[in-house]
Amino acid sequence: MNASQLAAVDLVVAFLATAAWIGAAVMLGTGRLLLARALCALAVTVSLGRVATTVALAAEGWWFAQEKVTLTLPLLLAGGVTAAVLAGPRVFGGARPAAGRAVAGLLTAGYAAAAGLVFPLLIGYPATWSAALLTVTLVGAATLITWRAAGLAGTGGVARAGTALVALAAVVGAGLAFVPGDTVDSGGVPSRLAASRARPVSALRGPTEPAGGGTVRRYELTARQATVTLASGRTVAAWTYNGQVPGPALTATEGDLIEVTLRNQDIDRGVTLHWHGYDVPNAEDGAPGVTQDAVLPGQEHVYRFLANQVGTYWYHTHQVSDRGVRLGLYGTLVVAPRGAASTGLDLAIPVHTFAGEVAFGTHDRADVRETRPGTSVRLRLINTDSTPRRFTLAGTPYRLVAVDGNDLNRPGELSRTGLRLPAGGRYDLAFTMPDGPVALLAGDDLMTGLRLSPDGSAPAVENTANWPELELTRYGSPASGEFGPDSRFDRHFTMVLDRGVRLSGGPKYAHTINGRAYPATPTQIVRADDLVRVTVVNRGFETHPWHLHGHRVLVLTKDGRAPAGSPLLLDTFDVRPGEVWEVGFRATNPGLWMNHCHNLSHADLGMALHLTYEGVSSSFHDGHS
């Protein structure tokens, strides 16, 4: 079992322990001694099972077991000892102490066991002093009330002292929950950030001239609300660039200067343009409140950057991004190598969900295209949704030649294989058109997708739902690079992803990083030319597609194993429940950058932070969404 499965088992065991202890108390209180005895035996057994699951989780990494070792298991032990002392003689021995005393002991164990169930679901990582005190307070308060009802606490000084201790723990725990923590994470290296803020983000603009004989590619995009008609005839209310979804396809050749003027006609909360996966100069990144102000109705903003990365990319708003992207504020960006011949069929295919219906571009039903046998085909798949998407290509062998715009080393031939594409990610598939039809499917939906047919007819489609999934870290061939898992890194950041209630900034159930929710997450500090290692741990039960702006990261390890295939340079990578990824990058793009989950609703609920270079500051403080 992996860490996520172990964590699920641990929750089940915690639930069974809670139910067994409380059930034993109920049975004993109603005089059912044999049932009480059986439930006590079950409670002891499953409580010991929690020790086993904790040991197994600790073997997967301290992050998965921290609160269990430091808090919930000690509470469970204390509750079990209390139950043994107060209830053991009545349940298993010949003695007959008062039933209320025994019931109170069993309930105390039940309250302690419940902490092991409630803590990971409501509080999560890490077990801070405030969280521990509040948890102990709740268990203590429940125990005190039960003991008073059973007449064990009395009415004198002992009762008053117990009540005072519980109240004090509650006040201290609640107070600590509102105390702000460190605002910066320097990755284990002393930082001069406070003394060296000198260069504003607004000065980190793109060039004004193309390079190497390139040309200037000028585009104008106007954000406005519109009704969009999909290929099936269905209409959807959308937020658009230039009245269309996807927005206009932006293309360039390596060395060109891309200049885009963004105007906002009627999107009340504002818009921006973020160039997903493109390492633009910081001021061109389109992160509102970080690199610019949001473009409000009647305003405009000009972006300029050099087309120096070849491959498949996309753009989207980063203002109110969860809603804006979902409603249609996105489009494609493809940069071709200089001197490359334009031959064959080359399609950029943004795949998006409109009100529950999947569309390839604007095609919410099968898009059938006549394609001559022998034609060179390149399909550029772009997942514009906030969750992973599974693709299959039936009818021909093919190669996955690029991921996130970066070519793979000696990619092998694939067939009858599922491809899992993270939110925001891109896959380029290449093949030669065969004599028969080819079908590109998303998930197990046989009604949508792309059909390439030699005669232009709509072919029958095979169900591909049971095809095995490609493990990307074992695909292609290894190659040497600038650095690897054994390199000496200047900075090392760890991000533990989880979910829980947070009080700082107002009570909310948030997606968290190291126990914090944006904007309370500390800023990661790097220096120019640092070699940076980042460990990303998913303690939760949802997938988090991680996306660092302005940099491509090299996958160093996944669950402790280095990739056995092609080096993987990514800008978005799926961290599934229970997984631990280590990635690295060279800090060569000065600025203040967003670093966040690209499930945009998760980012909206707190799973975001900043990475900044020493010597860089921002004057934009309008917040970010």
Side-chain angles (χ1 to χ4, degrees):
M1 285 191 286
N2 61 24
S4 177
Q5 293 166 328
L6 286 169
V9 170
D10 183 72
L11 287 175
V12 171
V13 172
F15 173 79
L16 290 174
T18 303
W21 284 118
I22 293 175
V26 172
M27 292 300 103
L28 185 62
T30 56
R32 297 176 175 88
L33 183 59
L34 290 178
L35 281 175
R37 187 173 295 164
L39 285 171
C40 279
L42 174 63
V44 171
T45 301
V46 293
S47 295
L48 291 174
R50 284 215 67 216
V51 176
T53 57
T54 298
V55 170
L57 283 167
E60 297 291 325
W62 174 246
W63 317 283
F64 300 108
Q66 185 243 11
E67 85 286 357
K68 298 169 180 44
V69 173
T70 61
L71 177 63
T72 60
L73 274 186
L75 272 176
L76 183 60
L77 175 62
V81 170
T82 301
V85 171
L86 296 182
R90 185 175 183 92
V91 176
F92 293 104
R96 288 292 180 266
R101 176 187 179 92
V103 169
L106 293 173
L107 287 175
T108 297
Y111 303 147
L117 177 67
V118 173
F119 194 98
L121 292 176
L122 292 184
I123 299 175
Y125 181 90
T128 60
W129 281 108
S130 62
L133 280 172
L134 288 172
T135 302
V136 172
T137 297
L138 291 174
V139 173
T143 299
L144 187 62
I145 292 170
T146 301
W147 283 31
R148 284 180 67 91
L152 297 178
T155 58
V158 174
R160 288 194 294 271
T163 302
L165 285 173
V166 168
L168 178 63
V171 170
V172 174
L176 289 174
F178 285 97
V179 174
D182 293 337
T183 58
V184 298
D185 181 353
S186 59
V189 178
S191 173
R192 299 189 303 268
L193 178 66
S196 62
R197 288 193 168 182
R199 194 176 186 189
V201 163
S202 56
L204 300 173
R205 297 299 309 269
T208 57
E209 299 292 335
T215 62
V216 179
R217 303 279 184 134
R218 290 188 173 91
Y219 296 93
E220 295 184 356
L221 301 180
T222 299
R224 63 183 177 89
Q225 300 180 48
T227 298
V228 174
T229 302
L230 302 178
S232 66
R234 179 183 177 214
T235 60
V236 294
W239 290 0
T240 72
Y241 292 117
N242 291 6
Q244 65 184 73
V245 176
L250 308 187
T251 61
T253 300
E254 187 178 13
D256 290 348
L257 180 71
I258 299 174
E259 182 178 291
V260 182
T261 300
L262 171 66
R263 298 184 178 91
N264 183 356
Q265 180 172 309
D266 59 5
I267 307 299
D268 289 342
R269 303 235 354 231
V271 294
T272 66
L273 288 171
H274 168 61
W275 313 98
H276 189 109
Y278 225 80
D279 300 342
V280 299
N282 192 219
E284 316 297 344
D285 191 50
V290 181
T291 64
Q292 68 171 92
D293 291 324
V295 181
L296 299 176
Q299 297 179 345
E300 68 176 48
H301 186 90
V302 177
Y303 300 86
R304 288 193 312 271
F305 57 93
L306 199 63
N308 54 7
Q309 289 177 224
V310 170
T312 307
Y313 303 90
W314 65 299
Y315 62 88
H316 61 82
T317 185
H318 227 286
Q319 170 71 357
V320 198
S321 55
D322 179 30
R323 187 180 183 200
V325 176
R326 180 163 31 89
L327 289 177
L329 287 173
Y330 66 89
T332 64
L333 169 65
V334 174
V335 177
R338 179 158 298 281
S342 179
T343 59
L345 179 64
D346 191 323
L347 297 177
I349 309 172
V351 181
H352 195 75
T353 302
F354 292 99
E357 295 290 332
V358 176
F360 283 49
T362 59
H363 290 267
D364 54 339
R365 294 294 180 266
D367 178 12
V368 182
R369 301 189 182 221
E370 184 175 352
T371 309
R372 294 177 56 188
T375 301
S376 175
V377 179
R378 189 179 189 109
L379 304 180
R380 303 173 184 266
L381 310 183
I382 306 170
N383 183 3
T384 62
D385 284 330
S386 282
T387 53
R389 189 166 292 286
R390 182 178 184 272
F391 291 96
T392 50
L393 187 68
T396 183
Y398 64 94
R399 285 180 169 80
L400 172 56
V401 294
V403 177
D404 287 357
N406 303 293
D407 289 345
L408 298 183
N409 183 52
R410 297 170 59 189
E413 192 171 83
L414 297 170
S415 63
R416 305 184 68 81
T417 301
L419 302 174
R420 177 188 171 98
L421 183 57
R426 287 91 58 215
Y427 284 165
D428 287 21
L429 314 183
F431 59 93
T432 300
M433 182 66 190
D435 294 333
V438 173
L440 175 67
L441 303 177
D444 57 0
D445 185 355
L446 304 182
M447 302 302 295
T448 61
L450 176 68
R451 312 287 190 271
L452 303 182
S453 173
D455 60 7
S457 63
V461 179
E462 177 183 0
N463 190 328
T464 63
N466 295 323
W467 288 6
E469 182 180 304
L470 175 69
E471 173 50 61
L472 195 58
T473 60
R474 295 198 291 267
Y475 178 65
S477 299
S480 58
E482 177 195 358
F483 60 90
D486 298 326
S487 298
R488 180 179 177 181
F489 291 86
D490 302 298
R491 311 264 173 158
H492 185 187
F493 301 104
T494 298
M495 296 186 293
V496 181
L497 313 181
D498 207 346
R499 194 167 188 187
V501 175
R502 291 298 174 264
L503 300 179
S504 179
K508 58 184 175 181
Y509 195 58
H511 287 279
T512 60
I513 305 170
N514 296 345
R516 306 281 190 83
Y518 186 87
T521 44
T523 296
Q524 296 171 334
I525 308 299
V526 299
R527 296 173 181 169
D529 207 42
D530 273 351
L531 191 58
V532 183
R533 186 183 194 123
V534 183
T535 300
V536 188
V537 182
N538 188 351
R539 254 185 57 114
F541 294 99
E542 297 181 71
T543 294
H544 298 299
W546 205 258
H547 175 54
L548 169 62
H549 289 207
H551 305 77
R552 287 168 286 182
V553 300
L554 177 70
V555 177
L556 303 174
T557 66
K558 177 185 174 184
D559 292 334
R561 295 182 292 275
S566 171
L568 289 174
L569 275 173
L570 308 175
D571 55 65
T572 313
F573 55 97
D574 263 351
V575 187
R576 300 197 210 186
E579 288 185 344
V580 180
W581 288 64
E582 288 186 305
V583 299
F585 66 92
R586 177 73 69 179
T588 57
N589 196 2
L592 199 163
W593 302 98
M594 291 300 301
N595 192 12
H596 65 96
C597 177
H598 213 272
N599 184 321
L600 298 175
S601 66
H602 294 179
D604 188 52
L605 290 172
M607 196 165 276
L609 48 72
H610 294 153
L611 181 140
T612 189
Y613 285 63
E614 289 190 358
V616 175
S617 65
S618 174
S619 60
F620 305 104
H621 301 295
D622 295 334
H624 179 269
S625 58

